DNA sequence: TGCTAAATGAGAATCATTATCCTTTAAAAC
DNA sequence: GTTTTAAAGGATAATGATTCTCATTTAGCA
């Protein structure tokens, strides 16, 4: 079913279903913490040792263009990817590479209402993303 | 006096005042649209033809480390810089490289109040930045 | 089952950024 | 004003993520 679902996502977008595309979509879905291309390659090569770096980058572009994944901006020069297309925000840890998802419908409603009332002149908002930057408190176990 | 102000910023941080650092800080202040390193180099070389690319990158790091400028995240692989340290948000145009500043104290208060009430478990927020993504409406002149 | 445009793979190329290492300089001490 | 010296700058090589090229393979339709 899992494989079937991933296949569906590709066919729904009119994309050819290839083992490489399946593997990459699956990798991004399974890997937590918003993987980089390198993370994805490492993960895939366990079961798919011959996949080419170029293919991974090309497939990532295709998936982004077809709105099956999103790019996640970081301050570093490596791009990271996100399989969750539902609107959500990100929590950035300021002393590690950790990036957590943040879902909050109340907040989204608050923002939508706010920008409904207060338009930005000559600008049509398509999406609003919060970057919540801070630190996880030390876990005292 | 402009030069004096820039000089002050450096000395306040205990940094040596060099012509290169002055020029780079001035460039970021003057250039609009959140310049990249390349934009900065082009601008500076008009008056300062011998500055080295390496110097520009090193100075940018120093300025970021000393909180005189900020990095601006983009979806591209070029880093951009911002001389405005006052808390503000960014408007990203989804079909150009334009990045506009967005100041809104009411919005900031709204967000502060919201996250005051609704804490994120085990997380201390240091900063919240909105990425407002959309399109500028065609100007009918 | 064959056809064909699209996808993949291998490796070269690109390009923003960083590192190296030698020379120059800011600024504190004299 | 000189001297001193750690810090800063310059030239250029190196790095590393990403992209390009082009020959080979393949998905999916006829």
């Amino acid at each position: 079913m899992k494989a079937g679902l991933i296949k569906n996502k590709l066919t729904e977008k009119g994309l050819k279903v290839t083992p490489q595309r399946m593997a990459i979509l699956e990798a991004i879905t399974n890997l937590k913490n918003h993987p980089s291309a390198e993370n994805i390659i490492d993960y895939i090569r366990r079961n798919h040792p011959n996949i080419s770096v170029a293919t991974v980058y090309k497939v990532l572009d295709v998936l982004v263009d077809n709105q099956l994944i999103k790019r996640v901006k970081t301050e570093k020069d490596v791009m990271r990817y996100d399989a969750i297309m539902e609107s959500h925000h990100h929590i950035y840890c300021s002393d590690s590479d950790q990036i957590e998802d943040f879902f909050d419908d109340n907040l989204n409603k608050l923002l939508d209402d706010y920008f409904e009332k207060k338009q930005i002149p000559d600008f049509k908002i398509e999406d609003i993303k919060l970057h919540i930057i801070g630190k996880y408190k030390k876990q005292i176990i």
Side-chain angles (χ1 to χ4, degrees), chain A residues 97-119:
Chain A
D97 285 340
Q98 196 176 354
I99 301 173
E100 294 283 326
D101 293 313
F102 182 74
F103 298 89
D104 188 334
D105 284 339
N106 292 330
L107 177 60
N108 291 340
K109 177 143 184 19
L110 196 71
L111 290 171
D112 286 349
D113 290 349
Y114 187 83
F115 283 104
E116 188 71 34
K117 271 181 281 181
K118 186 199 158 102
Q119 299 275 329

Side-chain angles (χ1 to χ4, degrees), chain A residues 33-45:
Chain A
N33 200 27
H34 307 84
S36 63
E38 195 189 354
N39 298 148
I40 294 165
I41 292 166
D42 290 347
Y43 180 88
I44 291 176
R45 287 216 168 135

Side-chain angles (χ1 to χ4, degrees), chain A residues 2-136:
Chain A
K2 197 73 187 182
L5 286 177
I6 288 171
K7 190 172 170 178
N8 283 348
K9 288 187 182 182
L10 292 168
T11 48
E12 276 168 19
K13 299 290 182 177
L15 297 173
K16 281 192 188 174
V17 177
T18 68
Q20 292 85 346
R21 287 177 174 178
M22 300 271 288
I24 291 166
L25 248 187
E26 196 213 342
I28 303 174
T29 309
N30 289 356
L31 287 168
K32 305 302 174 192
N33 200 27
H34 307 84
S36 63
E38 195 189 354
N39 298 148
I40 294 165
I41 292 166
D42 290 347
Y43 180 88
I44 291 176
R45 287 216 168 135
R46 297 186 210 165
N47 299 314
H48 214 291
N50 300 321
I51 197 165
S52 162
V53 172
T55 301
V56 172
Y57 280 101
K58 279 184 271 196
V59 170
L60 288 170
D61 278 352
V62 169
L63 298 179
V64 169
D65 289 348
N66 285 276
Q67 297 171 77
L68 289 171
I69 62 174
K70 287 196 270 195
R71 289 187 214 283
V72 177
K73 300 170 192 176
T74 73
E75 305 224 348
K76 302 294 187 55
D77 54 1
V78 280
M79 194 54 70
R80 291 168 68 173
Y81 297 88
D82 191 344
I84 298 174
M85 295 306 287
E86 181 186 341
S87 177
H88 66 286
H89 308 290
H90 285 135
I91 301 173
Y92 290 78
C93 179
S94 57
D95 49 27
S96 78
D97 285 340
Q98 196 176 354
I99 301 173
E100 294 283 326
D101 293 313
F102 182 74
F103 298 89
D104 188 334
D105 284 339
N106 292 330
L107 177 60
N108 291 340
K109 177 143 184 19
L110 196 71
L111 290 171
D112 286 349
D113 290 349
Y114 187 83
F115 283 104
E116 188 71 34
K117 271 181 281 181
K118 186 199 158 102
Q119 299 275 329
I120 300 173
D122 297 319
F123 191 77
K124 183 170 188 317
I125 296 176
E126 293 166 353
D127 196 12
I128 294 177
K129 289 197 196 117
L130 261 70
H131 288 220
I132 303 166
I133 301 131
K135 285 190 173 60
Y136 282 97

